[in-house]
Structures are given as structure tokens and as C-alpha cells.
Amino acid sequence: MIFADKDFPAATRETVAAFCRRGRLPQSILLTGSGAKKREKAATELAMAAMCEQPKQDGQPCLTCDACRKIKAGAHPDVIRIEPEKDRKTVSVEQVRRQVLETLWIAPNEGKVKVYVFFGAETLSDVIQNALLKTIEEPPAFTMFLLLSRSRDMLLPTVLSRVTELSLGDELTAERKSREETELRLTASVLEAFCRGSEYELMLACAPMMKNRALMQKVADRITVTVRDALAGDAAPPLSGCEREAILLSATFPTSTLLAVCEVMARISARANANANENLLLSAFSAELAALKEKTE
Ligand SMILES: [Zn+2]
């Protein structure tokens, strides 16, 4: 089942299922919102739906035929990626002419259709968008256009009126959510290693924060909140999102150690904020925690 992502709006998922059942996809589709990775995944799935050699009864792509597998691997010759070339921030007019306009009437190599995927459609200049208008409106029968854009706002109204728009959800919400999940996961694994283990385990748990000072600061702050949850016990509602780890902390350490953890984290957070050397910061993160653990034992 394609477009099964629970974060996608229900209306979008239903629309795509209906396209599949009907056995026909619109030739020009604009995918907006969510994050860049999800937009790319959605585009891949639409390309499969358009090219699958053995679609299921409900029109869904099989995901296992030659075409589906090549598309998934990014190796299908009839899926054409249009994205900024090396050392460029945006797609150039010359590139659109060469990759799109000059190849438009050439039949697909092996697929049923040729799919042009425009990454970062929000960065396409007005000149390019205008150059594509006629093509998007009346593409050759064997072509399909997928425009991937952060939002619809950056596209010309004339383009918007010629595409079928599929919203994948609010980009900010999706990005924030995935950032928060990463922070929570890291906070939990660092604290578990702290409660359980050796300095080596702590180092492993801290490793994903390498070269990411902002993440380190966030995790340090979340650890502080979790420790406060541990200190408060049942007296206050938990604020950290790491309830399990809070319970583990209060079961493992005396109050004095927990207070010391808060001090260490405050120091790390301040240094991360002050642009301290990232490698030193990361070793401080695990080494100072490990030292506290040792002191307790
Ligand atoms: Zn297939």
C-alpha cells in the first residue's frame, strides 16, 4: 500500500488510493509539505504506481516487479531527477532545457511512462516555471511530472492551476516532531547507559551527538528536566517525556548524585551554547557522567 504514512493527511491518502483503483494518475502532480525525505518517498511511490508491471487488484503497485525495484533503488532509466547540479544552489534554465524540454518527446526506455521529478520545486525561478507551463498543462501521453515543494506559496498561480496538489502535511510540524523524537531517544539511551553501565557504554550512547552541538545542548537540557522529574517523584507531573528513565534514575542514585548530574548538564549546555570544541564537549559529556556514576558506587 503506498501513501500509508500515518502522518499524511487522510484526504491525501484516500485520493491516492482512488487514483490507483481507477488505474490512472494525473500527469502533473505537486507534492507539498512534510519533510524533504517524505516528499521523495511519496514521489517514488507514485512513480511505482505509474510504472508497476504487475499492479494488484486495487491498482496498488506490487513493489516487487522489475520496475518497482528499480524505481525504489533510484536506478530506473525513465525516472528523471531534476535537482541543482554540482556546485549550484538552484536548477538552471539551461538544465531544464537539456534535461526536460529536449527529451520530452523521446519515448520511455523501458517503462510505461517517463517520470520527471523536480526536487526543490520551490526554488525554480519564475522564468523556469513559465517555461514549463505549457508542458505541465499538456504533457505527452507517456510523461508524468512530479513537483516536490516545501510549500505551495513559492509556485506561480499559473503553475498551481495546472497541477493536482497532494499535501503531505505541515512541514514544520513534521520536522519538529522528528527532531523531538531524536532528542528523546538520545536522552533515554544516554540515561539508560548512565544508570547501567560503563564509560564505554556512555560513550556509545553519546556518539550520535558528535559534531552536533545544538543536539548536544538539547539532550543536556532534556536530561536536566528528566532528573528534575526523578527528584520530584510523584509530587509533580512529569515534564520530560522520559518517565521511564526518571523512575530508573531515582531508583539508582541518591539525591546528591542527581543534583550533580544537573550541574554537569548545565555546564555542558552552557559550553555547547558558547561554541566550545565539539569533540572535547562530547568526551566531557560521557566522561563527567561516568565519573559521577563511579563516585556513587
Ligand atoms: Zn510492481
Side-chain angles (χ1 to χ4, degrees):
M1 179 93 173
I2 61 169
F3 275 65
D5 194 316
K6 293 274 186 302
D7 288 342
F8 291 170
T12 300
R13 288 189 280 146
E14 182 39 47
T15 304
V16 171
F19 288 155
C20 290
R21 282 197 298 273
R22 206 179 61 182
R24 252 193 89 209
L25 294 165
Q27 278 186 271
S28 299
I29 295 178
L30 169 65
L31 292 166
T32 58
S34 192
K37 278 203 183 118
K38 291 209 176 176
R39 287 197 291 276
E40 176 162 8
K41 182 162 182 278
T44 303
E45 292 182 341
L46 288 175
M48 287 180 188
M51 287 205 239
C52 178
E53 293 156 3
Q54 292 146 352
K56 297 183 186 162
Q57 270 199 328
D58 55 2
Q60 294 278 334
C62 72
L63 311 182
T64 52
C65 70
D66 244 22
C68 283
R69 278 188 296 136
K70 277 189 188 166
I71 293 167
K72 190 157 184 230
H76 200 294
D78 295 314
V79 178
I80 299 131
R81 296 172 67 104
I82 295 105
E83 56 195 330
E85 290 177 312
K86 203 168 166 279
D87 301 329
R88 290 193 55 107
K89 286 211 170 76
T90 54
V91 169
S92 66
V93 179
E94 188 278 325
Q95 190 188 345
V96 168
R97 190 175 307 125
R98 175 164 37 83
Q99 272 194 292
V100 186
L101 301 177
E102 285 175 6
T103 65
L104 202 57
W105 293 94
I106 301 173
N109 284 291
E110 54 185 71
K112 289 189 248 181
V113 291
K114 245 187 343 180
V115 183
Y116 291 92
V117 187
F118 290 80
F119 291 87
E122 70 275 357
T123 64
L124 293 177
S125 67
D126 289 2
V127 174
I128 292 180
Q129 292 188 48
N130 276 317
L132 288 170
L133 274 188
K134 214 177 126 24
T135 310
I136 292 174
E137 185 169 30
E138 287 180 338
F142 51 76
T143 57
M144 186 174 169
F145 289 88
L146 299 177
L147 279 65
L148 280 51
S149 176
R150 295 169 67 119
S151 83
R152 67 197 313 277
D153 304 341
M154 306 291 286
L155 293 163
L156 296 175
T158 41
V159 170
L160 292 175
S161 67
R162 287 166 169 81
V163 296
T164 301
E165 185 180 346
L166 295 176
S167 163
L168 302 182
D170 177 0
E171 167 155 65
L172 285 177
T173 318
E175 272 186 3
R176 198 184 315 120
K177 218 168 114 190
S178 103
R179 244 195 335 265
E180 280 181 7
E181 278 166 10
T182 307
E183 290 165 21
L184 278 175
R185 207 177 49 240
L186 270 171
T187 305
S189 66
V190 170
L191 285 177
E192 275 165 30
F194 175 53
C195 289
R196 195 179 50 226
S198 59
E199 180 168 358
Y200 177 67
E201 267 192 76
L202 258 171
M203 246 169 57
L204 284 185
C206 291
M209 294 185 281
M210 203 181 312
K211 304 249 180 254
N212 193 338
R213 200 181 293 128
L215 181 60
M216 224 181 286
Q217 188 179 7
K218 290 279 187 201
V219 171
D221 292 344
R222 278 182 187 273
I223 288 180
T224 303
V225 180
T226 311
V227 171
R228 284 198 194 128
D229 279 350
L231 289 167
D234 291 336
L239 301 168
S240 61
C242 295
E243 285 78 21
R244 214 175 70 85
E245 287 70 28
I247 293 168
L248 194 62
L249 278 171
S250 65
T252 314
F253 298 108
T255 304
S256 58
T257 307
L258 294 181
L259 290 172
V261 172
C262 287
E263 276 170 33
V264 169
M265 288 301 124
R267 214 157 48 231
I268 300 264
S269 179
R271 279 158 69 192
N273 198 27
N275 290 340
N277 177 294
E278 281 163 334
N279 292 333
L280 290 181
L281 209 51
L282 188 69
S283 31
F285 205 119
S286 53
E288 293 197 23
L289 278 180
L292 284 180
K293 164 92 183 164
E294 228 162 74
K295 230 188 284 172
T296 316
E297 281 165 355

